[in-house]
């Protein structure tokens, strides 16, 4: 989300709300699993949008949250190569060597689940593979810092330190966000910062961690379509996103995909 919204309060979700967040998170992850085989050379991002839209509305009974959100025209975001985030699906065909982020947000029973991952179209370049891996690890390190008593600064610091140690840069204009009945709630979850700074985490908080990492400089611009964010220097950019709940003794990732649910690293 946009890192410049007015301050509201950070909610502690009730057990009933948390149960619904688990369902919404799982359904959002399922859309990423469903779309994977379709992400091939020659497909258009608009076709991917239609397939996701149909799956969400007809198979899942979910509402695609992006559609008509602040006039966003499609049901998913597709951000290709030097596009950082909020790419609008269109008629351009994916080609071998592209990398694409697909960002899915569903609403089920009034609650949002928000998650994104990177896909390789054919074989990626060495740089693309490295950037995508570092970005996923950065998200995972940020999530690993989440527990009661830790702060938002601990998350940002873990991400920034790791990304910059690889010579890449963090986009600062967009951040993670609280999530629940609203798509974007308080708090803002910056992907950079200082350990110990900021809000102290408490059980029942729900927010996303979604670092955007550029191979080049951190600067971005928004295209005239009003949505698509690209790197100013046209360098490659990657993003991964999970929705996370703060639990009594740590955290729970609500948007694990099948491959992650089978991984002993995610108990
Ligand atoms: N899913 C994005 C996020 O992670 C927000 C997309 S807003 C949209 O916060 F309108 F572009 F869909
Ligand atoms: Co998000
Ligand atoms: Co998202």
């Amino acid at each position: 989300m946009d890192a410049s919204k007015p301050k509201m309060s950070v909610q502690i979700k009730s057990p009933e709300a948390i149960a619904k967040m688990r369902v919404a998170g799982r359904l959002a992850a399922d859309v990423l699993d469903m779309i994977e085989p379709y992400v091939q050379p020659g497909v258009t991002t608009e076709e991917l949008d239609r397939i996701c839209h149909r799956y969400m509305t007809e198979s899942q009974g979910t509402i695609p949250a992006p559609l008509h959100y602040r006039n966003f025209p499609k049901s998913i975001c597709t951000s290709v190569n030097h596009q950082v985030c909020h790419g609008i699906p269109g008629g351009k065909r994916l080609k071998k060597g592209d990398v694409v982020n697909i960002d899915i947000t569903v609403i089920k029973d009034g609650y949002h689940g928000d998650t994104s991952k990177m896909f390789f179209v054919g074989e990626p370049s060495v740089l693309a593979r490295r950037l995508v891996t570092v970005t996923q690890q950065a998200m995972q390190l940020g999530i690993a810092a989440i527990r009661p008593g830790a702060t938002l600064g601990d998350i940002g610091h873990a991400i920034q330190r790791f990304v910059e140690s690889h010579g890449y840069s963090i986009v600062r204009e967009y951040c993670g966000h609280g999530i629940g009945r609203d798509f974007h709630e308080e708090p803002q979850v910056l992907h950079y910062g200082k350990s110990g700074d900021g809000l102290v985490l408490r059980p029942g908080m729900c927010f996303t961690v979604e670092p955007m990492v550029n191979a080049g400089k951190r600067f971005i611009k928004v295209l005239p379509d009003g949505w698509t964010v690209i790197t100013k220097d046209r360098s490659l950019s990657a993003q991964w996103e999970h929705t996370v709940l703060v639990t009594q003794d740590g955290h729970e990732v609500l948007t694990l995909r099948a491959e992650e649910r089978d991984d002993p690293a995610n108990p």
Side-chain angles (χ1 to χ4, degrees), residues 55-74:
Y55 184 75
M56 290 187 262
T57 56
E58 293 175 21
S59 302
Q60 294 188 321
T62 57
I63 299 168
L67 189 60
H68 306 142
Y69 175 80
R70 299 186 179 192
N71 289 325
F72 191 80
K74 298 287 180 180

Side-chain angles (χ1 to χ4, degrees), residues 192-211:
Y192 60 93
K194 251 178 71 186
S195 296
D197 273 7
L199 180 77
V200 178
L201 305 183
R202 289 171 51 203
M205 290 179 178
C206 256
F207 51 82
T208 70
V209 178
E210 49 179 303

Side-chain angles (χ1 to χ4, degrees), residues 9-30:
S9 58
V10 177
Q11 297 172 23
I12 302 298
K13 261 79 181 170
S14 68
E16 295 74 24
I18 289 169
K20 291 179 180 180
M21 288 295 293
R22 282 198 182 97
V23 172
R26 169 68 173 259
L27 289 165
D30 286 346

Side-chain angles (χ1 to χ4, degrees), residues 27-195:
L27 289 165
D30 286 346
V31 180
L32 288 176
D33 282 335
M34 180 281 302
I35 201 64
E36 170 123 51
Y38 298 96
V39 184
Q40 299 291 342
V43 76
T44 68
T45 49
E46 208 155 49
E47 286 162 357
L48 297 175
D49 175 75
R50 289 336 290 164
I51 297 164
C52 289
H53 179 93
R54 200 175 320 117
Y55 184 75
M56 290 187 262
T57 56
E58 293 175 21
S59 302
Q60 294 188 321
T62 57
I63 299 168
L67 189 60
H68 306 142
Y69 175 80
R70 299 186 179 192
N71 289 325
F72 191 80
K74 298 287 180 180
S75 296
I76 66 173
C77 296
T78 53
S79 304
V80 183
N81 296 337
H82 68 289
Q83 296 179 345
V84 173
C85 63
H86 303 167
I88 302 174
K92 204 164 161 206
R93 292 184 191 284
L94 295 177
K95 57 180 194 307
K96 283 183 193 159
D98 284 345
V99 293
V100 56
N101 174 279
I102 300 184
D103 192 338
I104 301 293
T105 312
V106 304
I107 308 171
K108 181 71 168 184
D109 214 354
Y111 285 84
H112 290 73
D114 188 6
T115 183
S116 80
K117 68 167 280 192
M118 299 299 297
F119 295 87
F120 297 125
V121 184
E123 271 300 301
S125 67
V126 170
L127 168 68
R129 189 184 291 283
R130 198 181 284 140
L131 177 71
V132 164
T133 303
V134 165
T135 306
Q136 184 177 24
Q137 289 172 336
M139 176 196 64
Q140 287 163 341
L141 282 169
I143 291 172
I146 299 174
R147 66 183 72 87
T151 69
L152 287 178
D154 296 342
I155 301 172
H157 178 77
I159 293 170
Q160 181 177 20
R161 192 181 131 111
F162 182 73
V163 165
E164 292 181 352
S165 77
H166 284 83
Y168 300 143
S169 61
I170 313 263
V171 172
R172 302 202 180 191
E173 288 83 352
Y174 300 88
C175 57
H177 49 91
I179 182 167
R181 281 197 173 277
D182 287 324
F183 196 159
H184 297 113
E185 302 180 355
E186 286 296 315
Q188 295 191 0
V189 181
L190 302 183
H191 303 114
Y192 60 93
K194 251 178 71 186
S195 296

